[in-house]
Amino acid sequence: MRYLTNSKTKHTHKYSLTAVALIAVLGLSGCSDDDDESPTPEPVTPPEPTVVMQTYTVTVTNLTANQPMSPIAIASHSSDVMLWQAGEAANVALEKIAEGGDAADVAAIEGVTSTVSGAGILMPGMSETITVTLDEADIANLTVATMLVNTNDAFTGLNSYDISMLAVDESVSMRGMVYDAGTEANSEAQGTMPGPADGGEGYNSERDDVDFVHIHPGVITMYDGLMDSVLTPSHRFDNPAISISISRTE
């Protein structure tokens, strides 16, 4: 028996195989293009660190009978900063406080992170509360300083107190001695003191005293035989001369 072959069918089958192969190649090419065009992920920006603030209140009371105090100066700073050191020469910032009640230069001391000033003269027997708000990263030590303005160069305060251990609602109280900056002679002479008892000179860059910080010996008045003095016994002071309370409120 003879079998007949349909040549047309063979050609059709051959063309179909060729078309399938071409489609497969195109499909693979399309997949490759899709992979190359995948979107690049956006970079993830880390969140900004949270700034935590802590708030303290500093209450200062003038314990003297007739020594007004210059506007209270408060500085926060690193633990290695000391505004004064007994037995050592006063820096210019301290000299300006002790002779004229000007605390502007304290902010420029290396290691000081912030400064706050009181509202004005703190009169005898009066108190003032000052709020200090600090970045948690800056919490270290606190210094308080003020001049007894009816003197040549007497000052008092709190030197480099560590507040980092105070918990919220915790407070600490202390009293301060009166120091002599040792930069201006204690003449108590008329025209040499900036306070209301005299209204004389404040800061003077000339140093004519022992040039080291020490406990103040007290003032001499006209009643002590210093006829050129404008001070009276009411201007004398005993230690301590100042009360300071620090409370952490936040």
Side-chain angles (χ1 to χ4, degrees):
M1 181 182 294
R2 182 185 297 177
Y3 293 92
L4 298 177
T5 302
N6 190 329
S7 59
K8 186 176 179 180
T9 302
K10 286 183 177 181
H11 289 306
T12 302
H13 182 64
K14 179 179 179 181
Y15 294 154
S16 297
L17 291 175
T18 302
V20 170
L22 180 59
I23 291 170
V25 170
L26 291 174
L28 289 173
S29 299
C31 290
S32 176
D33 290 344
D34 289 343
D35 290 342
D36 291 341
E37 295 176 1
S38 298
T40 303
E42 292 292 329
V44 177
T45 303
E48 292 291 330
T50 302
V51 177
V52 179
M53 306 301 289
Q54 294 184 8
T55 301
Y56 300 80
T57 57
V58 181
T59 300
V60 179
T61 303
N62 183 340
L63 302 177
T64 71
N66 196 10
Q67 282 288 345
M69 294 180 179
S70 64
I72 305 301
I74 300 176
S76 61
H77 50 79
S78 55
S79 59
D80 59 342
V81 173
M82 299 283 286
L83 183 56
W84 70 87
Q85 185 70 48
E88 296 185 5
N91 57 43
V92 174
L94 178 63
E95 182 181 7
K96 288 184 176 182
I97 292 174
E99 293 183 11
D102 179 7
D105 284 10
V106 174
I109 296 175
E110 184 177 359
V112 170
T113 54
S114 69
T115 57
V116 183
S117 294
I121 296 293
L122 183 62
M123 297 302 291
M126 301 301 292
S127 297
E128 181 177 10
T129 297
I130 302 167
T131 299
V132 180
T133 301
L134 304 170
D135 187 325
E136 185 179 48
D138 293 333
I139 302 299
N141 287 27
L142 208 67
T143 288
V144 180
T146 180
M147 177 194 184
L148 280 66
V149 297
N150 286 325
T151 68
N152 290 107
D153 61 344
F155 71 95
T156 185
L158 176 65
N159 194 18
S160 196
Y161 185 82
D162 182 4
I163 60 171
S164 63
M165 301 304 291
L166 285 177
V168 175
D169 295 330
E170 188 176 1
S171 63
V172 62
S173 297
M174 61 213 76
R175 295 188 174 190
M177 308 283 281
V178 179
Y179 289 89
D180 189 320
T183 56
E184 182 179 321
N186 297 329
S187 68
E188 282 90 34
Q190 186 173 359
T192 66
M193 295 171 289
D198 185 20
E201 181 182 53
Y203 167 68
N204 187 323
S205 61
E206 179 186 359
R207 296 193 174 191
D208 57 359
D209 201 3
V210 296
D211 204 18
F212 61 83
V213 177
H214 55 91
I215 294 296
H216 202 288
V219 296
I220 300 176
T221 74
M222 63 180 69
Y223 291 86
D224 298 312
L226 183 60
M227 301 310 297
D228 194 32
S229 175
V230 293
L231 302 183
T232 70
S234 69
H235 296 109
R236 296 173 181 154
F237 50 83
D238 293 320
N239 283 312
I242 193 172
S243 174
I244 300 170
S245 176
I246 303 173
S247 300
R248 181 179 169 189
T249 56
E250 291 184 35

